[in-house]
Amino acid sequence: MTQHAEPAVTSPPAPGLKDTDGRSAERSMIVRLLARPDVGVFLGAVAVYVFFLIAAPPVRDASSMANILYQSSTLGIVTVPVALLMIGGEFDLSAGVGVITSALTASMTAYQLSMNVWVGVIAALIASLAIGFFNGWMVVKTGLPSFLVTLGSFLILQGVNLAVTKLVTGNVATDDISTMDGFDQAKKVFASSFDIGGVQVKITVFWWLLFAAIATWVLLRTKYGNWIFAVGGNRESARAVGVPVAFTKISLFMLVGVGAWFVGMHQLFSFNTVQSGEGVGIELIYISGAVIGGCLLTGGAGSAIGPVFGAFMFGMVQQGIVYAGWNPDWFKAFLGVMLLGAVLINLWVQRTATRR
Amino acid sequence: MTTNETGTHGAVLADRAPEKDSPVVELRNAGKAYGNIRALHGVSLTVHPGQVTCVLGDNGAGKSTLIKIISGLHQHTEGEFLVDGEPVRFSTPREALDKGIATVYQDLAVVPLMPVWRNFFLGSEMTKGPWPLRRLDIERMKKTADHELREMGIVLDDLEQPIGTLSGGQRQCVAIARAVYFGARVLILDEPTAALGVKQSGVVLKYVAAARDRGLGVIFITHNPHHAYMVGDHFSVLRLGTMELSAERSQITLEELTNHMAGGAELAALKHELSQVRGVDVEELPEEADLTAPVAVTKEAAS
């Protein structure tokens, strides 16, 4: 038996341009659309909206709608970066109390130092970025799950919020800053309203939609967006092909800090004071909003537009229950049912639609 | 449809004669010691453009150490390592990559949930526009990815499909095409057929051949002599960290290669043991004399 032949395998002929491998049948447009998680949550949001249109007649008012959108926006502004972070494969449990930390920092810095409120606003931004950096740095450097790291910072911030506020002001709330320099200006940016066709719409609604639009563009059309998917989808592979994993993850945590800062500023300039014990439990609403919005809890898939509908569903339910005249205690129960329902529907739709 | 064209589908490959004289990568008596353990010793290997150099060996034979030296993950501690005739010593994989030495690892470095074209360009994305609006040049990337994959003979219906939906063989091929596109002159394939079925292995071997025909030097690491023999131009068998065999294709048959790979004398001992066990047919196994037949044994084996 001799095999002194030339190598047996030759290179394949280059196929023509029109050829396909012919193994995947074209799936219909509807099935393909349904396979997109953000379409699923959009339909869910429509369903909840229609439900309350019928169950709660006051919802039909334009002003109620503005109110619902406002409620959604205060959740949604943080949900957007939380969703990006989740696509990047991490969570942040400290985002809820981070909002309050930010507001407290701004308020106390400005009041105690008797400075222009913008000094406080900048100080708060720095504090929020620092918290984000700390979370991200710990996660990247130690390799610990972000659940543990941010659970730690959640507890730390919760304690610090209360203790430092009491230490500085002798009270659980901060002092009223509404008469300080720059307050009106800052209020215009963070907490003003617009008149649209006789309906007062809060500025946060516009910020929310703007942030979501920017996030969508970044996610789908930039290098950085590509990296977010990559570090969430397979961290080791991303590193092997030259994606700066540490930079991507840390900056995502810092973006959540920016979201928390923005909502913190909104709360400060709408209510003039901050209650230091608030914000606990809100982080889970952000995370639920991102999950309902079709972001994969384990990272690597999702969108920035889905969480917009996720936050809208929450705002809708929260206000809808009030308009329907039900006991608001039902809110959380409703949320839980919605979360499970949305996740199950997403799962079912994806399994049916992506099956070949 | 009536045409007078001859029935050649697709492109005709350029008829280039590979310059077999000057090796791109050459190891001369290279070795590597981890502390007092000599993982690799006295290994000589040359990689020519347009040729496939197969490195065979059982588990623990030193294959991994060898590719780690060439791909820049480790440094050799003895002998010489030359690229284009110049002695080199890489301290990171990036340096090897800059010299055009790309490694396709078994786990492939792809992100399963991302579309094929995003995976193809991951880490080296094409962009357009000034900074604040600098964005991915999706059109160009998709077109380039499609073109490159077709050049390698890989046709996919939809570059938007997540790469995780491709078969293992197809994923290997995309990884190979990616390495080729990003300027690799030498391709190191770490057991590309190890986890694949027969058909898929065939697909991967075809693309190994395609890479070879595009003028790349290929280092094909495997423990399957049959796969190696299908594409190889030169065969090196490693055993316990040394070169047991280094032979041109014309000097060796598949049978001899298989025997060397299997460990020659050790297999004879195994045959003896197995013959004690009832129900094992040892008639078909080669005789001890065949197994120990010296085939182009290198000097290093004597050291």
Side-chain angles (χ1 to χ4, degrees), chain B residues 2-293:
Chain B
T2 53
T3 58
N4 289 330
E5 283 171 38
T6 49
T8 51
H9 281 285
V12 179
L13 288 166
D15 196 7
R16 94 181 83 171
E19 308 122 279
K20 300 199 178 185
D21 327 300
S22 55
V24 204
V25 166
E26 189 174 3
L27 290 178
R28 286 186 194 151
N29 278 319
K32 166 78 184 169
Y34 299 98
N36 57 355
I37 297 166
R38 266 208 316 209
L40 205 62
H41 174 63
V43 170
S44 298
L45 189 77
T46 55
V47 181
H48 297 271
Q51 282 197 24
V52 179
T53 303
C54 297
V55 177
L56 295 102
D58 211 347
N59 295 339
K63 293 177 306 206
S64 305
T65 308
L66 181 65
I67 53 171
K68 278 175 182 161
I69 291 173
I70 303 176
S71 64
L73 280 166
H74 289 337
Q75 284 101 48
H76 53 288
T77 50
E78 53 182 89
E80 277 186 295
F81 174 21
L82 302 100
V83 175
D84 297 323
E86 304 264 313
V88 289
R89 184 175 283 272
F90 298 137
S91 45
T92 65
R94 190 78 239 174
E95 283 175 41
L97 223 50
D98 291 342
K99 288 268 185 192
I101 300 171
T103 312
V104 176
Y105 290 101
Q106 241 170 322
D107 51 13
L108 300 172
V110 296
V111 183
L113 284 171
M114 290 175 80
V116 174
W117 66 270
R118 280 188 190 261
N119 261 296
F120 195 93
F121 282 99
L122 187 59
S124 318
E125 296 88 351
M126 292 177 168
T127 52
K128 61 182 179 187
W131 175 69
L133 294 174
R134 187 172 299 151
R135 58 204 181 275
L136 297 177
D137 195 343
I138 293 177
E139 273 311 299
R140 200 150 62 96
M141 281 200 276
K142 276 192 191 170
K143 234 165 130 182
T144 312
D146 191 49
H147 177 75
E148 287 302 314
L149 291 175
R150 282 175 195 277
E151 283 279 294
M152 293 290 292
I154 306 162
V155 182
L156 298 173
D157 280 347
D158 181 8
L159 290 176
E160 284 288 350
Q161 65 183 309
I163 204 162
T165 61
L166 302 185
S167 68
Q170 282 178 312
R171 261 180 286 168
Q172 279 285 358
C173 298
V174 173
I176 294 172
R178 176 167 76 180
V180 171
Y181 174 72
F182 285 108
R185 295 185 300 147
V186 175
L187 201 56
I188 305 171
L189 302 169
D190 181 13
E191 308 240 356
T193 56
L196 303 180
V198 175
K199 248 205 174 125
Q200 291 196 358
S201 298
V203 173
V204 171
L205 292 176
K206 262 198 318 203
Y207 300 127
V208 171
R212 175 197 67 200
D213 290 350
R214 291 184 76 175
L216 275 83
V218 180
I219 302 176
F220 180 21
I221 318 279
T222 182
H223 54 229
N224 187 326
H226 299 273
H227 290 165
Y229 205 81
M230 279 184 208
V231 291
D233 296 296
H234 187 97
F235 304 94
S236 300
V237 177
L238 288 177
R239 207 152 77 81
L240 299 176
T242 57
M243 289 274 261
E244 186 179 89
L245 169 88
S246 175
E248 288 297 321
R249 185 179 190 83
S250 56
Q251 297 171 329
I252 192 168
T253 64
L254 174 59
E255 213 173 352
E256 288 163 344
L257 187 64
T258 311
N259 288 344
H260 265 284
M261 171 61 209
E266 280 174 31
L267 197 68
L270 185 64
K271 180 188 171 187
H272 180 71
E273 263 181 57
L274 282 175
S275 64
Q276 317 283 317
V277 183
R278 265 157 51 100
V280 176
D281 182 15
V282 293
E283 290 302 306
E284 295 299 313
L285 292 176
E287 289 300 323
E288 189 159 357
D290 301 338
L291 292 168
T292 49

Side-chain angles (χ1 to χ4, degrees), chain A residues 74-75 78 92-104 150 153-155 157-159 161-162 172 260 263-264 267 271 274-287 332:
Chain A
T74 57
L75 297 172
V78 191
D92 191 349
L93 290 177
S94 69
V97 287
V99 168
I100 304 302
T101 306
S102 203
L104 289 170
T150 59
S153 46
F154 162 73
L155 293 171
L157 289 180
Q158 200 183 336
N161 281 356
L162 280 166
V172 287
V263 173
Q267 294 194 351
F271 307 119
V274 190
Q275 294 291 329
S276 58
E278 283 186 357
V280 177
I282 309 292
E283 67 283 342
L284 295 179
I285 298 209
Y286 300 144
I287 290 172
K332 284 278 168 65

Side-chain angles (χ1 to χ4, degrees), chain A residues 5 17 28 37 57-58 75 92 114 133 151 159-160 166 178 188 196 216 220 225 233 240 247 256 266 277 304 314:
Chain A
L17 279 176
S28 75
L75 297 172
D92 191 349
S114 303
F133 180 82
L151 182 63
V160 166
K166 272 190 188 163
S178 61
K188 272 212 179 70
I196 295 179
T216 301
L220 296 178
F247 164 79
V256 174
H266 168 72
F314 283 2

